[in-house]
Amino acid sequence: MCQIRHFGRYHIMKSKQILSIFAILLVSAVFSAEGGGWRDDVLGDGYEMRYCEQDSDYSGAVRSSIVRKLPKEPAAKGVLYIHGFNDYFFQSDMGNRFVDKGYAFYAVDLRKYGRSLMPGQKPFEVRSLDEYFPDIDSAIVAMRQDGIREIVLDGHSTGGLIASYYLSRNPRPDIKALLLNSPFLDWNLGWKEHLVPAISLMGKFFPDMRIPQGDSEAYAESLLASDYGEWDFDTDWKFRRSPDVDAGWIRAIDKAQKALRDGKADIGVPVLLMYSDHSVYGDSWNKDFNSGDAVLDVEDIRRYGSRLGPDVTCVRVFGGLHDLVLSAPGVREPLYKYIFGWLAKKLPKEKMAE
C-alpha cells in the first residue's frame, strides 16, 4: 500500500529473495557480442553499445542490445533502463543525470526494437513477456562484468510492466529498487477493453491476427522538436504513429498485467511509482498534449501500481507527459531532484548515497 506524503507540487502516496544463479551463469555462458564487443553508440557523447545474440524464436534469429555510459570513477551501483512499446533508448539526458550522480547507466533495447531490429523482423512482436527475460539477464550480466553490484531497475510504460513482471518472477538481491515511469499496468481503451479477453484468447490460437491501433500522431508531436516538443529520435525505430499490434501481443500484455494483480506481484524492493496528474484524450494535437499523459489512464497506474509490493511510493507529477523524463523543464527538474533524494533515502546510504 502507499504511504501519503506531500512534496512541493507533488502529491505522494506511499519473501521472496531467490538468486537465479543458474540462469545468470547460463546467460553469461552464451553472452556474446556481434563484431567483438562495445562500440560507439548512435547517441555519441560517451555512450557505447553491444549486441547480444539470443536463442532463435518463432520468427527466426533474435538479438537484444545493451547501451551503456560509465562515470569517470568506477562505480559499484548502476541503473538498468527498459523502454516502452514503440520505443527504444534515446533519452540520453536521463542517462547523463544518473552518470553525473555516480551511477553507471545501462539501457536495453529489447528484441525486435530499436537497435535490435533485424532485417525481415516484425517490429515489437512478442507472444509472452517472458521472452524478454534473457534480454534483461544479458544486460545484468554485462553490468556484473563491469563491477556493478547494486542495481536500480527502471522501466517506462510497457517497460515498466516488463520490469515489474520480471522482478516479481525473478527476485534478485542485487536489484535494490524499482523506478516506474508511467507503467502500463492496465489498458486504456474505453469500451473496447471489454474485447480484450476475447482477443487474448484468440491470440493463443491466432497470434498473428492484426489489431489496429489508430492513426493519431499527437503524442509524437508533443515530443519531437520538429513539431511541438524538444526531443529528437529516430522515427524508423520509434514511429510517429503507433503501429498495429497482433493478438499475440495483446495476450502477452494481458497475461502479465493479470499476473501482477491481487497481491501476486509481491515485489520486495522499494518501488517509486510515478505518473502524470491527468490523462489527455483526442486524435489531434493541442497544447494539453504537452502537459498530460496521452497514452494511459493515470488513475489505473495509481490503482494497480500501489499494490505491487509492501513499499511503494506513489508520485503524481503535475504537468507530466506519458514519458515523464521528457516533460517540460519545469516538470522534469524537480522530478529528478525527487528521484535522487528518494534513492538516497531508500537505499543503504553508505553504498548508494546521492
Side-chain angles (χ1 to χ4, degrees), residues 27-43 47-55 61-68 83 88-89 106-119 121 134-143 145 234 237:
V27 171
S28 184
V30 301
F31 184 64
S32 62
E34 297 175 358
W38 296 102
R39 64 188 72 177
D40 291 342
D41 185 60
V42 295
L43 294 175
Y47 283 93
E48 304 174 286
M49 67 83 65
R50 70 185 299 177
Y51 294 117
C52 300
E53 298 174 358
Q54 306 291 352
D55 290 339
V62 175
R63 69 184 180 190
S64 61
S65 306
I66 309 169
V67 182
R68 75 176 181 185
H83 60 78
Y88 72 102
F89 172 64
Y106 299 76
V108 57
D109 273 13
L110 300 168
R111 58 188 64 196
K112 305 175 190 176
Y113 280 87
R115 298 163 179 83
S116 304
L117 270 172
M118 301 175 70
Q121 279 187 336
D135 305 357
I136 299 171
D137 287 340
S138 295
I140 292 175
V141 168
M143 297 176 77
Q145 290 174 340
D234 189 334
W237 287 349

Side-chain angles (χ1 to χ4, degrees), residues 150-163:
E150 297 159 345
I151 299 171
V152 176
L153 197 59
D154 182 1
H156 164 58
S157 196
T158 302
L161 172 63
I162 294 167

Side-chain angles (χ1 to χ4, degrees), residues 166-223:
Y166 174 86
L167 199 51
S168 73
R169 294 294 188 270
N170 300 277
R172 301 175 48 88
D174 51 358
I175 296 180
K176 303 297 185 180
L178 176 62
L179 304 179
L180 295 177
N181 172 357
S182 305
F184 181 22
L185 302 177
D186 194 29
W187 303 96
N188 186 26
L189 300 173
W191 66 267
K192 295 179 183 178
E193 286 189 30
H194 297 296
L195 302 177
V196 169
I199 296 173
S200 180
L201 179 61
M202 293 287 287
K204 182 177 181 179
F205 303 101
F206 306 101
D208 296 320
M209 185 175 69
R210 179 170 167 267
I211 308 296
Q213 286 277 85
D215 57 5
S216 174
E217 297 185 5
Y219 179 54
E221 291 173 350
S222 73
L223 300 180

Side-chain angles (χ1 to χ4, degrees), residues 114-315:
R115 298 163 179 83
S116 304
L117 270 172
M118 301 175 70
Q121 279 187 336
K122 183 179 183 180
F124 323 141
E125 181 183 37
V126 69
R127 296 181 182 176
S128 169
L129 297 196
D130 297 66
E131 294 172 25
Y132 297 133
F133 289 2
D135 305 357
I136 299 171
D137 287 340
S138 295
I140 292 175
V141 168
M143 297 176 77
R144 300 286 293 188
Q145 290 174 340
D146 286 343
I148 306 302
R149 296 293 177 264
E150 297 159 345
I151 299 171
V152 176
L153 197 59
D154 182 1
H156 164 58
S157 196
T158 302
L161 172 63
I162 294 167
S164 301
Y165 182 62
Y166 174 86
L167 199 51
S168 73
R169 294 294 188 270
N170 300 277
R172 301 175 48 88
D174 51 358
I175 296 180
K176 303 297 185 180
L178 176 62
L179 304 179
L180 295 177
N181 172 357
S182 305
F184 181 22
L185 302 177
D186 194 29
W187 303 96
N188 186 26
L189 300 173
W191 66 267
K192 295 179 183 178
E193 286 189 30
H194 297 296
L195 302 177
V196 169
I199 296 173
S200 180
L201 179 61
M202 293 287 287
K204 182 177 181 179
F205 303 101
F206 306 101
D208 296 320
M209 185 175 69
R210 179 170 167 267
I211 308 296
Q213 286 277 85
D215 57 5
S216 174
E217 297 185 5
Y219 179 54
E221 291 173 350
S222 73
L223 300 180
L224 284 166
S226 58
D227 291 305
Y228 308 103
E230 57 179 301
W231 309 101
D232 295 308
F233 53 81
D234 189 334
T235 53
D236 288 330
W237 287 349
K238 180 178 175 65
F239 305 150
R240 292 179 61 95
R241 181 180 303 174
S242 187
D244 292 345
V245 295
D246 55 38
W249 183 88
I250 297 288
R251 180 175 177 80
I253 297 295
D254 192 48
K255 290 184 68 176
Q257 289 176 344
K258 290 177 178 176
L260 298 176
R261 304 269 172 86
D262 304 320
K264 294 192 289 290
D266 194 24
I267 294 173
V269 302
V271 179
L272 181 58
L273 177 74
M274 300 170 284
Y275 50 92
S276 178
D277 66 307
H278 71 286
S279 297
V280 179
Y281 296 93
D283 294 328
S284 300
W285 182 90
N286 60 63
K287 62 183 179 61
D288 292 338
F289 277 84
N290 284 61
S291 62
D293 189 326
V295 178
L296 297 179
D297 184 328
V298 299
E299 290 306 315
D300 287 340
I301 296 174
R302 182 201 60 77
R303 180 181 305 112
Y304 294 112
S306 64
R307 303 168 187 170
L308 288 174
D311 186 0
V312 180
T313 302
C314 304
V315 180

